[in-house]
Amino acid sequence: MSELDPEDLKIITLARSARARTGAAEGAAVRDTDGRTYAATTVALPSLALTALQAAVAAAVSSGAEGLEAAAVVTEAGAVDADSVAAVRDLAAGAPVLRADASGALVETV
């Protein structure tokens, strides 16, 4: 596997940090087309449920992002769920979604 771009490593690190800070099952981060980053974890409230990636995309959109360059999810799950990928695709059809394990090692690019 080739080395990751430093900016992609940054969003994996942000996703990993968010996950570790809260003890959530997943952490995610996105980078918008202006280079700003947004990190989030899984939201599981009685009245609101979002995957970590959906929450990161929501944070980006609520901050005015009009597009995404890349997204990262740190998870032990075997895949990034379809709803999470769909949230990214709503803003960027071709943006890579990086799935990393808890150590931050890249497992796959969706």
Side-chain angles (χ1 to χ4, degrees), residues 8 10-30 38-43 50-57 71-77 79-81 84 88 97-104:
D8 290 343
K10 178 181 174 182
I11 60 173
I12 289 173
T13 300
L14 289 170
R16 194 170 167 230
S17 296
R19 180 179 183 257
R21 186 172 47 255
T22 65
E26 290 186 341
V30 298
Y38 308 87
T41 62
T42 306
V43 175
L50 296 171
T51 68
L53 192 48
Q54 288 172 324
V57 169
V73 179
V74 174
T75 182
E76 294 301 322
V80 179
D81 70 89
S84 294
V88 173
V97 177
L98 311 170
R99 181 172 62 94
D101 64 19
S103 74

Side-chain angles (χ1 to χ4, degrees), residues 10-11 30-38 60 63-66 68:
K10 178 181 174 182
I11 60 173
V30 298
R31 183 176 61 251
D32 72 13
T33 53
D34 291 328
R36 296 175 297 184
T37 57
Y38 308 87
S63 294
E66 295 180 8
L68 298 176

